[in-house]
Structures are given as C-alpha cells and as structure tokens.
C-alpha cells in the first residue's frame, strides 16, 4: 500500500516507460503470499521480512533522494508550462578555479550580452542541456566558451563573434527551442547550434533526477551504461522522437525563416565505443531529419 501511494504521489504522466514501483508492489505481494504457505518457519519468516524490508528501504532511500533532487538553489520553477523550470536570475554560482558566474537576468548561465546586438557583431546561439552547463567543468572550459575563443581567432578585421549559451540542465529539444523562442531571439542570432544529446527525445521533467517516479532507479543507471546505445535507439524509434524532436525541428524551421538565422544540428557523441552501430544509427537518423528541415548537420562522432 505504501509503495502504491508513493507511486501515485510521485508519478510523472510524461514518462513513457512502465512504472517500476507498480512491478515492485506486485512482486513483493506475490512473494509474501507464497511465503505464507512455506513449511519451513525460518525460510518463511526470512521471505516475509524481505518482502517488507525491501520496499520500505527503497521508499526511504527514494524519499531522501527526492528531497535532494528537487532542492537545487540555482533552479527555479517557470510559469511557462513548456519550460517548467529555468535557472534562477541573479543567482551567483561559485565554480572551480576561482570563477564566479551570476545567472543573467533572463535566466542564462552565461556572461551578460548587449541587447540589441551592436553593429559588427555576429552571434551564435547554442541550445543544449547539461552538456554546455556541466558544473564539473570550469565555465571558461565549456565548449561554448572555447568555441567563442576559436571563432574570435578566425574573425575578420573589425568583426566580433559572440557565442551565447541558451541552455539549461535536463532540457529536451522541445524546451530548448522554447527557450530560444522566449529568450534566445532577444540576442538576434545569426546562427543557432543545437548541441543534440541522445537522450533529447526524453519526455520527462529533467529538473527531477529520476526514472518515472523513482529517484532510486536513476542512481542505478550507471550499472547499465553499456546498454545505453540500445536504450537511445528505442527512444529514437517511438512516438517520443516524432513528438519531441521532429516537431521541434519543424517549429525551429519557422523561427529560422522568420528571424533569418541559420541552424546547425550537432549530435554529440556519448561515452561509448565510438563505432557502436546502435549509436551510429541514431546519429544518422538525427542528421537525416535535420537535413529534411533544411538545416546543416553532421556526425560529430567522426571527429572523435
């Protein structure tokens, strides 16, 4: 009963896979009934203790992890039902190597930029999730900052190139394009780069580190990393890909035409054997769909 109450309380209706807590409740109930009919008292008592202790332990751990997951001071809920959450404007983020970044007034983990865009400035807007905002990497070493430095070296005389990081941890492609629409367009981009990650078709609220309603199961995913290419393949073969990615690309095409910017889709490689056929097939599918919408795209994994 406790497991089912928790499952109902913590459920995310966007989650596209079976709820693990319902299976847990059914499994321990069956084991408990079977244990009742065993002739050996010690075995019977052991199985009953297991059937009670396992779900209670997972519930306690899940409850503790849920409190830690949602209590992130740099994140604030958004009134936008598509974004769901953003970075907290004005929040100071102390990073390694003595860096201190303050979230911009429009909720970006980036340095402030002048609005409207000054003459002679070319702007590249990066859309992404936790890859451009990985807290374990110093801000100046993250790829949007490195890209800005590389482009500055190649800029023509009198030209300034800025790379604006319009990203937020846990976002999928729908949220990324929405953030571009609500915030990124203010920076008048000349080019928009989608830093596509293979979990981008994921429908669940990325502000919560969980699988379905299970914060506990999320922390076990590292045990199955070698199967991630197969899991990513499933994400890109069902309705979630069409709903989250293909439709977002179509919307982005309209925005690009209306605001006169170019789009580059860059499917970033995951930490797998780089020639894994499952992941290569997914990269190719993303590139193909991007080109169907008239975007530039290529397999970034080939450079690795």
């Amino acid at each position: 009963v406790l497991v089912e109450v928790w499952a109902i309380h913590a459920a995310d209706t966007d989650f596209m896979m079976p709820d693990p807590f319902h299976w847990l409740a059914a499994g321990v109930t069956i084991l408990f009934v079977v244990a009742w009919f065993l002739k050996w008292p010690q075995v019977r008592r052991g199985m009953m203790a297991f059937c009670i202790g396992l779900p209670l332990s997972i519930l306690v751990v899940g409850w503790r992890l849920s409190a830690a997951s949602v209590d992130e001071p740099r994140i604030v809920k958004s009134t936008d039902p598509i974004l769901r959450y953003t970075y907290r404007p004005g929040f100071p983020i102390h990073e390694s190597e003595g860096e201190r970044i303050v979230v911009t007034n429009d909720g970006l983990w980036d340095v402030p930029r002048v609005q409207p865009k000054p003459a002679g400035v070319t702007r590249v807007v990066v859309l992404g999730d936790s890859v451009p905002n990985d807290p374990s990497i110093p801000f100046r070493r993250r790829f949007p900052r490195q890209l800005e430095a590389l482009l500055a070296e190649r800029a023509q005389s009198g030209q300034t190139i800025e790379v604006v990081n319009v990203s937020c941890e846990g976002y999928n492609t729908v949220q990324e394009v929405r953030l571009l629409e609500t915030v990124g367009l203010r920076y008048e981009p000349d080019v928009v780069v989608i830093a596509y990650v293979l979990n981008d078709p994921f429908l669940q609220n990325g502000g919560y580190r969980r699988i379905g309603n299970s914060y506990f199961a999320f922390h076990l995913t590292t045990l199955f990393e070698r199967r991630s290419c197969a899991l990513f393949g499933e994400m890109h073969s069902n309705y979630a890909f069409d709903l989250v990615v293909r439709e977002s690309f179509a919307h982005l095409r309209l925005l690009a035409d209306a605001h006169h910017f170019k789009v580059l889709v860059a499917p970033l490689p995951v930490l797998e054997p780089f020639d894994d056929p499952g992941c290569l097939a997914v990269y190719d599918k993303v590139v193909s769909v991007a080109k169907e919408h008239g975007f530039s795209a290529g397999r970034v994994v080939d450079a690795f």
Side-chain angles (χ1 to χ4, degrees):
V1 170
L2 288 174
V3 170
E4 283 299 315
V5 168
W6 173 261
I8 295 170
H9 166 74
D12 186 333
T13 54
D14 283 345
F15 193 63
M16 60 186 175
M17 297 181 183
D19 188 332
F21 277 95
H22 295 309
W23 292 102
L24 174 64
V28 295
T29 301
I30 293 171
L31 280 177
F32 192 87
V33 172
V34 170
W36 184 262
F37 294 98
L38 293 178
K39 298 179 180 180
W40 307 279
Q42 290 183 337
V43 176
R44 182 170 64 248
R45 286 194 294 268
M47 285 186 63
M48 287 182 170
F50 174 80
C51 292
I52 296 173
L54 176 65
L56 286 180
S57 299
I58 290 178
L59 285 175
V60 171
V61 173
W63 173 72
R64 293 293 298 273
L65 291 174
S66 71
S69 176
V70 299
D71 187 22
E72 175 52 68
R74 67 176 176 265
I75 297 294
V76 63
K77 288 184 178 180
S78 173
T79 56
D80 189 311
I82 297 177
L83 292 180
R84 295 183 172 185
Y85 62 94
T86 62
Y87 290 122
R88 188 185 302 275
F91 184 79
I93 302 174
H94 298 275
E95 303 192 25
S96 58
E97 301 187 2
E99 289 183 305
R100 182 179 183 273
I101 301 296
V102 177
V103 176
T104 64
N105 291 333
D106 44 15
L108 301 182
W109 194 339
D110 198 9
V111 297
R113 312 284 182 172
V114 176
Q115 298 179 33
K117 181 175 65 176
V121 173
T122 299
R123 278 186 175 158
V124 178
V125 162
V126 171
L127 305 183
D129 49 16
S130 59
V131 176
N133 292 324
D134 187 345
S136 68
I137 301 174
F139 179 75
R140 63 182 178 82
R141 296 188 183 181
R142 296 176 197 171
F143 82 83
R145 301 296 291 160
Q146 295 197 49
L147 176 61
E148 186 174 81
L150 288 170
L151 293 176
E153 295 175 0
R154 293 161 173 75
Q156 299 176 358
S157 177
Q159 182 189 32
T160 300
I161 302 179
E162 297 178 347
V163 177
V164 187
N165 183 24
V166 183
S167 306
C168 189
E169 299 163 67
Y171 272 14
N172 61 22
T173 313
V174 171
Q175 292 166 297
E176 291 169 4
V177 174
R178 179 62 172 170
L179 189 62
L180 170 69
E181 188 174 29
T182 57
V183 175
L185 293 179
R186 302 174 193 170
Y187 295 90
E188 304 172 67
D190 298 284
V191 179
V192 169
V193 177
I194 297 184
Y196 189 93
V197 183
L198 296 194
N199 65 357
D200 277 4
F202 205 57
L203 283 171
Q204 189 172 354
N205 187 342
Y208 296 84
R209 296 294 186 255
R210 59 181 177 172
I211 295 180
N213 56 22
S214 175
Y215 299 87
F216 176 80
F218 178 82
H219 289 265
L220 299 178
T221 54
T222 54
L223 300 176
F224 305 99
E225 282 183 350
R226 292 193 176 276
R227 289 194 63 245
S228 59
C229 278
L231 294 174
F232 291 142
E234 294 174 12
M235 283 187 185
H236 288 76
S237 62
N238 59 30
Y239 76 97
F241 178 78
D242 291 330
L243 178 65
V244 177
V245 178
R246 194 184 297 271
E247 291 301 318
S248 294
F249 282 4
H251 186 57
L252 183 59
R253 177 73 267 166
L254 297 176
L255 292 176
D257 292 341
H259 296 274
H260 311 291
F261 58 78
K262 297 179 180 179
V263 177
L264 168 65
V265 177
L268 304 182
V270 296
L271 298 180
E272 297 278 333
F274 289 129
D275 59 351
D276 186 292
C279 277
L280 291 178
V282 175
Y283 302 140
D284 290 340
K285 181 171 184 176
V286 174
V287 168
S288 175
V289 172
K291 290 183 176 180
E292 288 175 10
H293 290 84
F295 302 151
S296 297
R299 287 198 332 193
V300 181
V301 70
D302 293 339
F304 285 73

